[in-house]
């Protein structure tokens, strides 16, 4: 399969550097949990969450700390090793575009640009597989930069093709209102029939 944008833009060493950078920021006490706070607010206590494209599972680990049961998936082995340091998480080395965990989750979260780091053209398959892993009332939350080849408009089309629809869109994880010129999009989507 063609490499993901993450793989074509980053070497294994750069993935290791990314892991070290976030370890350093955490050690410095930098707030790395804005995404987790937002997702936590959407969930009932003790929910099940899939951290999709988990990287180091910074988000998944914080959601676990907040009492949710977290599964994490990434296809970069360096990140999967780092994510496995969080022993409460179930971590899979797997491709979101073909994912089949045989179960569903109350939330699937693709934070930190996962959608724009996929293999070009595979985003619709990933959104369909993510939708297949949602409970009937489950929520899909994705955050990504708006200056990349994969756009918010394409994302909305991919959500619709997967039977999902935008419930909320914000410009930041701390819920600044969406604007068409925002440099970041945080999207909350659910099954279209729930929002009809
Ligand atoms: C910038 S990192 C973000 C990691 C993490 N979510 C965070 O917020 O720190 C983007 C991640 O998306 C993952 N990714 C891209 N395409 C993927 C795919 N098809 N399946 C699984 N993971 C994928 C990459 O391996 C990378 O770990």
């Amino acid at each position: 399969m063609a490499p993901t944008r993450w793989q074509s833009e980053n070497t294994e060493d750069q993935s290791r550097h990314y892991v070290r950078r976030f370890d350093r920021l955490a050690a410095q006490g930098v707030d790395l949990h804005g995404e987790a706070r937002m997702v936590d607010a959407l969930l009932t206590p003790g929910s099940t969450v899939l951290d999709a494209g988990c990287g180091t599972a910074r988000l998944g680990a914080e959601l676990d700390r907040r009492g949710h049961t977290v599964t994490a998936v990434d296809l970069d082995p360096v990140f999967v090793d780092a994510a496995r340091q969080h022993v409460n998480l179930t971590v899979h080395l797997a491709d979101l575009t073909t994912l089949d965990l045989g179960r569903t989750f109350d939330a699937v979260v693709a934070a930190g640009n996962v959608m724009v780091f996929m293999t070009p053209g595979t985003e619709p398959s990933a959104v369909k597989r993510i939708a297949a892993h949602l409970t009937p009332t489950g929520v899909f939350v994705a955050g990504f930069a708006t200056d990349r080849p994969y756009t918010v408009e394409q994302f909305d089309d991919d959500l619709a093709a997967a039977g999902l629809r935008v419930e909320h869109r914000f410009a930041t994880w701390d819920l600044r209102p969406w604007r068409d010129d925002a440099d970041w999009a945080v999207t909350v989507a659910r099954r279209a029939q729930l929002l009809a």
Side-chain angles (χ1 to χ4, degrees):
M1 168 172 148
T4 64
R5 282 196 171 102
W6 179 265
Q7 289 165 321
S8 53
E9 292 175 20
N10 294 276
T11 62
E12 209 177 293
D13 264 359
Q14 282 166 309
S15 289
R16 288 206 185 86
H17 175 76
Y18 185 94
V19 173
R20 285 195 300 271
R21 181 159 69 91
F22 275 96
D23 283 349
R24 208 164 42 241
L25 291 171
Q28 289 165 357
V30 173
D31 173 25
L32 300 176
H33 300 311
E35 299 108 317
R37 284 193 294 274
M38 188 272 196
V39 173
D40 189 32
L42 288 164
L43 296 175
T44 52
S47 290
T48 55
V49 180
L50 176 64
D51 186 351
C54 62
T56 61
R58 167 181 55 85
L59 170 59
E62 179 62 16
L63 289 170
D64 165 66
R65 202 189 64 75
R66 288 166 183 257
H68 304 294
T69 301
V70 179
T71 298
V73 167
D74 204 290
L75 49 59
D76 181 323
V78 172
F79 285 143
V80 167
D81 279 353
R84 287 192 170 135
Q85 305 305 308
H86 303 290
V87 292
N88 284 346
L89 272 53
T90 304
V91 183
H92 299 279
L93 177 68
D95 185 344
L96 290 170
T97 66
T98 53
L99 191 69
D100 185 3
L101 297 177
R103 56 163 296 185
T104 56
F105 298 87
D106 300 313
V108 179
V109 186
N113 270 330
V114 173
M115 288 310 306
V116 298
F117 273 124
M118 299 203 156
T119 305
T122 64
E123 302 88 351
S125 311
V127 175
K128 281 195 180 120
R129 293 316 305 152
I130 285 170
H133 285 81
L134 284 176
T135 61
T137 56
V139 64
F140 174 31
V141 187
F144 58 86
T146 58
D147 62 347
R148 309 297 167 96
Y150 183 72
T151 64
V152 167
E153 290 73 25
Q154 282 171 286
F155 184 50
D156 289 349
D157 289 347
D158 293 344
L159 290 173
L164 302 178
R165 211 163 83 192
V166 176
E167 182 175 42
H168 304 288
R169 174 160 289 141
F170 305 99
T172 63
W173 287 99
D174 61 355
L175 313 186
R176 296 285 164 151
W178 171 250
R179 315 157 28 136
D180 286 338
D181 64 349
D183 57 11
W184 192 264
V186 176
T187 303
V188 177
R190 292 188 200 262
R191 292 194 192 288
Q193 67 264 30
L194 275 180
L195 304 179

